[in-house]
Amino acid sequence: MEIAVIWIPAHIEPSEPAVARCLSHLRRHSYRFTGIMRAPWETVEQTMIDGEVDVVVIADFAHLPPDRSPRIELATTGGDADGDHPASDTQFD
């Protein structure tokens, strides 16, 4: 079972909606929840580097600092350079 923490940046208030969203995600994936971190991103990053945490769950992609490291990006298949729009062959119900 993977070890997970919830990370909510300190400036996010109220934090309860973000925590509720993250807890729901944790339950769906059966992660072993170890706590909520309100520390700077660098502290969270260090817990991953040290192998203390396998998964960091966030409520909103916008909470991540743009200059974070490690950085993982998804390459899109459409002509959209920034990834904000679905590929042209994506269908929605």
Side-chain angles (χ1 to χ4, degrees):
M1 185 179 292
E2 293 175 299
I3 299 168
V5 296
I6 292 173
W7 180 61
I8 310 290
H11 70 277
I12 302 300
E13 290 295 341
S15 64
E16 291 80 8
V19 170
R21 185 173 180 183
C22 292
L23 286 171
S24 178
H25 180 84
L26 288 167
R27 281 190 293 274
R28 284 192 310 273
H29 293 278
S30 300
Y31 293 138
R32 190 174 72 175
F33 175 55
T34 60
I36 298 170
M37 296 184 74
R38 301 285 312 244
W41 174 252
E42 295 77 18
T43 303
V44 177
E45 180 182 44
Q46 191 61 51
T47 65
M48 290 185 288
I49 292 167
D50 293 344
E52 299 169 19
V53 172
D54 299 311
V55 179
V56 176
V57 178
I58 60 172
D60 190 318
F61 189 71
H63 292 174
L64 290 173
D67 59 345
R68 69 193 177 280
S69 180
R71 184 167 181 162
I72 300 169
E73 297 183 4
L74 173 65
T76 60
T77 57
D80 177 33
D82 63 7
D84 286 340
H85 305 286
S88 59
D89 61 345
T90 303
Q91 296 181 4
F92 297 96
D93 294 328

